[in-house]
């Protein structure tokens, strides 16, 4: 359970890592990163998403939902690298050499209208398609709609993968792709989204 600690939690963390769900360090503490990893597993497996490792989650660790990279439909080499944003399941998947390396919980645009301070009414859409990381900020970018932590921009409308202290189970952004701040630090540290990286965004936004 969230807040717990001990060898049972460490075993859960190891199994999540074996399933390619990014959980940070195996430290035996059921904190925010473990909760985020469990949420990603729940989403992939079609379970209710609450971040709690109950019996259904333990069972899903033995037979998780399929995560198949989308290289072919994006015109990419089957054995290549890319980042896949699955809007339908609200997951971000890092693909290396054609195989899943890490799966992160994410939160994309709500598809709802919002008021932009300079552009007026806009729709909080995360556009689908094949893009590339074109610029990045190794720090906090102070945008008109709020700060973006270490963003990797892949769309001319200012859409980026970025860190956030809030990555809920449902779409909640103005269009960007949120991951936890710690996950974003790992993406930078491990070179998972260098400039020029292909980004593939698929699926429809689920209703909240």
């Amino acid at each position: 359970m969230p807040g717990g600690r001990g060898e049972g939690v460490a075993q859960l963390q190891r199994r999540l890592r074996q399933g390619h769900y990014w959980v940070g360090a195996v430290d035996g503490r059921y904190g925010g990163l473990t909760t985020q990893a469990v949420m990603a597993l729940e989403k992939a497996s079609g379970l209710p998403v609450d971040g709690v490792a109950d019996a259904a989650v333990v069972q899903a660790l033995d037979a998780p939902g399929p995560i198949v990279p989308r290289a072919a439909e994006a015109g990419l080499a089957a054995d290549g690298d890319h980042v896949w944003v699955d809007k339908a399941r609200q997951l971000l998947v890092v693909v290396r050499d054609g195989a899943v390396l890490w799966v992160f919980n994410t939160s994309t645009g709500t598809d709802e209208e919002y008021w932009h301070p300079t552009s007026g009414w806009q729709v909080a859409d995360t556009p689908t398609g094949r893009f590339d990381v074109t610029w990045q900020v190794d720090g906090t970018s102070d945008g008109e709609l709020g700060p973006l932590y270490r963003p990797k921009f892949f769309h001319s409308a200012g859409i980026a993968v970025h860190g956030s202290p809030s990555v809920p189970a449902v779409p909640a952004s103005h269009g960007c792709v949120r991951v936890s701040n710690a996950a974003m630090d790992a993406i930078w540290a491990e070179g998972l989204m260098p400039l020029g990286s292909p980004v593939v965004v698929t699926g429809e936004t689920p209703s909240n």
Side-chain angles (χ1 to χ4, degrees):
M1 294 288 289
R5 61 177 61 196
E7 178 54 33
V9 176
Q11 182 178 0
L12 170 66
Q13 292 170 331
R14 284 190 288 268
R15 293 195 66 191
L16 286 165
R17 287 180 63 90
Q18 289 168 0
H20 303 283
Y21 293 92
W22 189 83
V23 71
V26 175
D27 59 6
R29 298 182 180 184
Y30 202 133
L33 301 189
T34 301
T35 299
Q36 288 282 307
V38 171
M39 290 170 68
L41 173 63
E42 289 170 329
K43 289 178 176 182
S45 303
L47 298 173
V49 182
D50 59 10
V52 176
D54 56 16
V57 166
V58 173
Q59 184 176 2
L61 283 167
D62 294 323
I67 298 178
V68 181
R70 298 299 187 91
E73 67 186 62
L76 300 170
D79 59 351
D81 301 344
H82 66 280
V83 171
W84 171 30
V85 178
D86 180 352
K87 288 172 56 174
R89 292 189 290 182
Q90 294 289 284
L91 296 171
L92 184 146
V93 182
V94 175
V95 178
R96 282 292 175 271
D97 298 324
V100 173
L101 176 63
W102 291 122
V103 182
F104 297 89
N105 180 48
T106 194
S107 178
T108 62
T110 63
D111 275 356
E112 298 175 354
E113 285 191 323
Y114 70 94
W115 179 259
H116 190 282
T118 59
S119 304
W121 287 107
Q122 301 289 319
V123 175
D125 173 49
T126 303
T128 57
R130 192 270 202 211
F131 311 97
D132 298 292
V133 177
T134 53
W135 61 293
Q136 59 189 9
V137 177
D138 189 5
T140 299
S141 177
D142 293 319
E144 292 180 296
L145 298 173
L148 310 180
Y149 181 69
R150 305 187 82 180
K152 301 268 191 176
F153 293 92
F154 63 87
H155 191 277
S156 59
I159 306 297
V161 175
H162 68 82
S164 173
S166 174
V167 189
V170 297
S173 83
H174 293 103
C176 283
V177 179
R178 297 183 189 176
V179 295
S180 70
N181 286 341
M184 202 67 212
D185 285 338
I187 287 171
W188 276 83
E190 298 177 25
L192 301 181
M193 286 186 70
L195 289 173
S197 296
V199 179
V200 180
V201 184
T202 66
E204 296 185 2
T205 302
S207 58
N208 289 349

